[in-house]
Amino acid sequence: MKQRFNLTEDDYRFLYFYMSRGPQEVSYPKYDVTEFWPTYSKFVYFGRDRSLSSFQNIRSFNKYGDSYGYNIDNAYIVDFDKGVEFLVSVVVQSNRNGIYNDGIYEYETITYPFLKNLGEVLYQEELKRPKATRPNLKRFSF
C-alpha cells in the first residue's frame, strides 16, 4: 500500500479531462488545427479520421505512442449517449522492409486503419452485448 499513488478526486478529474482532450480543446500549447485535427492522437476507433462527427458523443481517454513502425494506444472509449464503454491496450507494427530507423513504415496503410477498425469492431460488439446495469459515465463527462 505504501507505493500506491495518493490521488484525490481533483487529481482524477484532471487526468480524465486532459486524457480525453483533442488538440482543438487545449489552450496551452495552442495547436494548429490544420495540422492537428480533433482526433489527431486518438488511434483506436478514430484512426486518422479528420472529421469531428463522432467525437462529440464518443470520447477516447488515452495515451498513445508511435515509433519505428509501431503504433501503441491504451484507450478507454466511452459513448455517453448509448452507455457504451470499453478498455483496450494495443500495439501494432508495420515495417515491410524490416529496416528500423529508415523512416519507411506503413502507418497510413496498415496501423492506423487497423486501429480504427479494431475500435469500431469492439464498439459494435459492446453495443450488442447485454448489460445488467448501464454504466454511470458522469465522472467522465465535462
Side-chain angles (χ1 to χ4, degrees):
M1 279 302 245
K2 288 190 288 187
Q3 294 182 350
R4 288 186 60 137
F5 290 115
N6 215 0
L7 299 177
T8 66
E9 280 303 311
D10 284 342
D11 294 331
Y12 280 110
R13 270 192 295 281
F14 175 86
L15 287 170
Y16 299 154
F17 182 81
Y18 283 103
M19 287 185 75
S20 71
R21 299 296 93 181
Q24 82 287 356
E25 298 172 313
V26 177
S27 58
Y28 184 81
K30 192 73 176 156
Y31 290 96
D32 177 355
V33 294
T34 59
E35 186 177 347
F36 299 98
W37 55 91
T39 58
Y40 179 80
S41 62
K42 311 295 186 181
F43 295 152
V44 170
Y45 187 83
F46 298 103
R48 295 298 264 189
D49 186 353
R50 293 174 182 256
S51 74
L52 232 181
S53 59
S54 57
F55 194 58
Q56 299 304 319
N57 303 334
I58 298 175
R59 284 285 176 169
S60 173
F61 298 76
N62 75 317
K63 178 64 179 130
Y64 83 97
D66 57 9
S67 186
Y68 300 109
Y70 288 90
N71 280 129
I72 301 163
D73 201 352
N74 302 286
Y76 173 57
I77 307 292
V78 174
D79 182 334
F80 295 103
D81 289 346
K82 295 189 171 93
V84 170
E85 64 175 345
F86 64 91
L87 182 66
V88 62
S89 182
V90 61
V91 177
V92 63
Q93 189 237 5
S94 65
N95 187 357
R96 283 198 178 131
N97 68 12
I99 300 170
Y100 289 97
N101 204 23
D102 65 354
I104 301 171
Y105 308 111
E106 296 77 27
Y107 292 126
E108 297 294 333
T109 57
I110 295 177
T111 61
Y112 298 142
F114 175 83
L115 292 166
K116 178 178 176 56
N117 291 336
L118 174 66
E120 289 174 349
V121 166
L122 292 171
Y123 176 81
Q124 290 302 320
E125 288 300 312
E126 282 301 305
L127 270 177
K128 293 185 284 189
R129 187 175 65 84
K131 297 166 190 72
T133 306
R134 185 176 169 99
N136 182 350
L137 304 173
K138 288 180 184 166
R139 79 170 70 170
F140 305 112
S141 184
F142 301 100

